[in-house]
Amino acid sequence: MTGDIVVEAVGLGYDYVSPPVCALRGVSFELRRGAFLAVMGPNGSGKSTLVRAVLGLLRPTRGSIRVAGREAWEYRREIQRIIGYVPQHDSVNQHLPMCPRDIVGLAASTRGVGRGGHGNLTARVNDALAMVGMADLAHRPFGSLSGGQQQRVLVARALVVDPHLLLMDEPFAGVDVVHRNELVELLAWLSREKHVTVMAVVHNINPLAHFVDHVLLLDNRMVAFGTPGETLTPELLAEAYGAEVPVLVCDDGVLHPITDHAADH
Amino acid sequence: MPPTTDSFLDYIASPYVLRALAGVVLIAANAGVSGAFAAFRRSTFLVSGASHAALAGAALVIVLETHGLIIGVNPLVGAALAAVGLGLLAAWASNRGSDELVETAIGVGFAFSMALAALLMSMIPEAATRVWSVLLGDVLLLTNGDLWLMGGVTLAVCGIVWWFRRPLLFITFDIEGAKSFGIRAGLHNTLLFGLIALSCAVVLKSVGAIVVYAMLVAPAATALLLCASVRRAMVTATGIALVSGLVAIGLSYYVRLSVGALAALLACLTYFAALCWRATSRRRGGVA
Ligand SMILES: Nc1ncnc2c1ncn2[C@@H]1O[C@H](COP(=O)(O)OP(=O)(O)OP(=O)(O)O)[C@@H](O)[C@H]1O
Ligand SMILES: [Mg+2]
């Protein structure tokens, strides 16, 4: 059933050249179609680096990373066609006079959505914005939206291309509790019902703890990969974060590490 | 210099004023396209750097010509080559992903160009007045040859930006996201920097190196304060540059002033007015 494996990392490592930084070492894991993975680790632990490697934007300095059975770097043009990517939100330009519809529409037309019987572009853009609850603000200038609203626009931009793999770098940063829970439910629905493979970098796993299938703990190397029950233990968390991380067990028996905003849950 | 004894209409219909009008239209097109993208990208320092590099390029051509080493080369060609050179240097720095490096690369290129221009002027006093005229510029002194060159380059700049509008907008919004969409971000970034630099060379002889920044960036910055869509911002920037230029030419009938400086002044005043309008409407709780 190897055809079912969407992401496969084998001994993946990456070193930046200038300045020389060993960002990632010995990362090995597999994600099947429809799996939901949370990637966790302290600042600078290589989470964004891993995401870039999956996108084929970096050539691994060790090991390999395959997406849909192909080396991500060698086949980046092909694999990028099936990936929806939500960048870390502080990397986007606040000054470009574009509204959410323009931004999502630009992504859709770049990918050729709406051409050749793939359905109407405007309808697809509206659907994507509605999915993240941004339909009412579709015409507001992007720069005038709140951080959380901007984040949801970026999620809509990733969804408009109907991705098989959704890659998100801190998609909940700045998103309020209500909208965050809506987003989490959207992601859980995408992975369960639409069989979209979801990989999300998060600092606070608690809103997702009940939904994710796997957790990857990073600290410039792979500390652990497994189910939330296997990975969210005080020992492994201490290894990743280099400090004691208290863990609570909720009524459903799910582990909740207190890494960030514990009060949110 | 324009005679002031004719009627206003005779003045407008005179060849040099007609050429100036054509020049103003071309400047406005560059302001609406390259100026707007420079403002969107927040890389307006590139405009001041490239316009001074263009000055050095023009000075070099003038000096070589004075020495009889080359003949019949329009100084604008040298200006364009030097400006694009600086644009490519800045693009290289930008593609390495560091904004500080871009600032430094442009700053050093800027200083190098000015030093070179000053050196050339001190070496060859005969050429100095011609170099000065490029530093200060005069839209009323454009030749037909200048206009053909300016027109051709402007057409190319506008055409290329139109053709690549999607990837150029995408990298302007977010480079990482653009890469993930299979866009060759580095290549398009280099193209955009090159085009912006070319526009600086186009505008150079009409308004002078010192005020290229005002003519290209001020209209776009004003448009950014007023407009909520890319298309509207580009049209507005073109409009502001065009009106500033036309009003300046009209006024030049009544007062003998540098048309380029006057146009730049008007463009900047529009910017300040828009800033004040924004500030007061925000205080009133307005601004959509
Ligand atoms: N372009 C680069 N050149 C050199 N080093 C880099 C580069 N980008 C990241 N690094 C380094 O690589 C390491 C991993 O960075 P990365 O961005 O992957 O961390 P992260 O886990 O995403 O952190 P954060 O939680 O702050 O987003 C860090 O030490 C960082 O300083
Ligand atoms: Mg990161």
Side-chain angles (χ1 to χ4, degrees):
Chain A
M1 287 277 282
T2 46
D4 246 9
I5 293 173
V6 177
V7 183
E8 183 189 17
V10 182
L12 172 70
Y14 188 79
D15 300 329
Y16 287 100
V17 184
S18 66
V21 175
C22 163
L24 220 51
R25 255 315 123 80
V27 177
S28 302
F29 65 92
E30 264 181 25
L31 291 181
R32 289 182 176 275
R33 186 160 167 251
F36 190 169
L37 167 75
V39 181
M40 290 178 72
N43 290 128
S45 58
K47 304 182 296 291
S48 298
T49 305
L50 174 65
V51 167
R52 279 186 217 123
V54 176
L55 272 168
L57 298 181
L58 301 174
R59 175 182 218 145
T61 39
R62 282 152 202 260
S64 76
I65 175 99
R66 296 169 146 257
V67 175
R70 290 168 156 190
E71 293 292 337
W73 166 263
E74 273 82 13
Y75 291 94
R76 55 192 176 282
R77 298 274 170 264
E78 288 82 355
I79 64 146
Q80 283 165 357
R81 304 203 125 259
I82 63 161
I83 300 179
Y85 168 54
V86 182
Q88 227 169 318
H89 143 266
D90 51 15
S91 70
V92 305
N93 185 345
Q94 303 286 325
H95 309 288
L96 194 62
M98 283 173 85
C99 64
R101 272 192 67 154
D102 295 344
I103 288 162
V104 177
L106 179 63
S109 57
T110 299
R111 241 339 131 60
V113 171
R115 254 181 268 147
H118 286 289
N120 180 284
L121 184 128
T122 318
R124 288 274 294 272
V125 170
N126 291 341
D127 285 351
L129 285 167
M131 270 199 240
V132 298
M134 285 298 294
D136 293 341
L137 299 173
H139 292 285
R140 284 265 300 271
F142 184 78
S144 76
L145 299 174
S146 73
Q149 291 167 340
Q150 294 186 353
Q151 192 66 265
R152 281 147 62 200
V153 174
L154 296 180
V155 174
R157 184 182 74 171
L159 291 177
V160 78
V161 298
D162 255 340
H164 295 196
L165 171 62
L166 192 54
L167 271 182
M168 302 193 283
D169 206 343
E170 301 188 21
F172 307 122
V175 180
D176 66 51
V177 185
V178 173
H179 288 106
R180 190 192 59 200
N181 290 344
E182 275 176 25
L183 263 184
V184 169
E185 268 160 38
L186 173 65
L187 298 181
W189 176 78
L190 284 169
S191 88
R192 285 215 184 115
E193 307 297 326
K194 298 280 171 181
H195 306 292
V196 176
T197 310
V198 181
M199 212 174 138
V201 171
V202 289
H203 277 296
N204 174 17
I205 193 168
N206 294 318
L208 306 103
H210 294 259
F211 302 99
V212 294
D213 306 305
H214 312 283
V215 175
L216 176 63
L217 281 182
L218 291 179
D219 184 22
N220 298 120
R221 65 190 172 86
M222 190 171 94
V223 174
F225 173 78
T227 64
E230 291 162 358
T231 48
L232 299 176
T233 63
E235 297 75 29
L236 289 172
L237 288 164
E239 209 180 319
Y241 285 87
E244 288 290 305
V245 178
V247 178
L248 302 177
V249 184
C250 74
D251 297 340
D252 300 332
V254 174
L255 302 176
H256 288 278
I258 315 301
T259 47
D260 196 21
H261 308 301
D264 283 356
H265 190 61
Chain B
M1 276 291 108
T4 43
T5 48
D6 299 351
S7 75
F8 184 75
L9 278 182
D10 286 338
Y11 176 65
I12 294 298
S14 62
Y16 45 85
V17 179
L18 285 179
R19 280 196 291 269
L21 289 172
V24 162
V25 171
L26 294 176
I27 291 171
N30 284 283
V33 175
S34 295
F37 266 93
F40 293 161
R41 273 211 54 137
R42 305 269 129 166
S43 28
T44 60
F45 189 40
L46 172 64
V47 173
S48 31
S51 46
H52 288 84
L55 171 71
L60 197 61
V61 169
I62 291 170
V63 165
L64 290 178
E65 206 172 40
T66 313
H67 273 268
L69 292 172
I70 49 173
I71 18 170
V73 176
N74 192 314
L76 278 181
V77 174
L81 290 178
V84 169
L86 187 114
L88 295 182
L89 178 74
W92 166 81
S94 168
N95 289 339
R96 299 208 38 189
S98 153
D99 286 341
E100 297 95 84
L101 195 60
V102 177
E103 296 270 295
T104 315
I106 296 175
V108 172
F110 190 140
F112 173 81
S113 308
M114 286 311 284
L116 184 67
L119 200 69
L120 290 169
M121 279 162 79
S122 69
M123 270 161 46
I124 299 114
E126 311 92 273
T129 41
R130 281 184 72 196
V131 177
W132 262 114
S133 78
V134 182
L135 186 64
L136 296 174
D138 195 340
V139 74
L140 290 166
L141 293 183
L142 291 176
T143 64
N144 285 332
D146 294 338
L147 279 179
W148 280 114
L149 259 176
M150 289 168 63
V153 175
T154 304
L155 207 65
V157 168
C158 295
I160 294 171
V161 169
W162 170 255
W163 187 257
F164 292 105
R165 63 194 180 283
R166 282 196 193 116
L168 291 180
L169 270 180
F170 214 136
I171 60 161
T172 303
F173 180 62
D174 107 74
I175 291 246
E176 283 275 306
K179 284 182 192 161
S180 81
F181 270 79
I183 291 170
R184 290 162 186 261
L187 211 66
H188 286 96
N189 198 33
T190 307
L191 180 69
L192 187 56
F193 274 48
L195 292 172
I196 293 172
L198 259 184
S199 284
C200 298
V202 171
V203 180
L204 180 73
K205 199 178 172 193
S206 319
V207 299
I210 299 173
V211 289
V212 166
Y213 186 89
M215 275 323 284
L216 284 186
V217 175
T222 312
L224 266 185
L225 289 174
L226 305 176
C227 302
S229 90
V230 166
R231 187 171 313 183
R232 230 172 292 154
M234 291 176 81
V235 170
T236 306
T238 311
I240 292 171
L242 189 63
V243 171
S244 305
L246 293 180
V247 170
I249 289 178
L251 286 177
S252 72
Y253 172 73
Y254 302 100
V255 268
R256 269 170 182 269
L257 285 171
S258 158
V259 176
L262 199 55
L265 210 65
L266 291 170
C268 293
L269 284 176
T270 319
Y271 174 70
F272 293 134
L275 262 187
C276 289
W277 178 81
R278 267 288 284 251
T280 53
S281 68
R282 191 165 275 167
R283 201 166 309 137
R284 289 196 306 268
V287 169

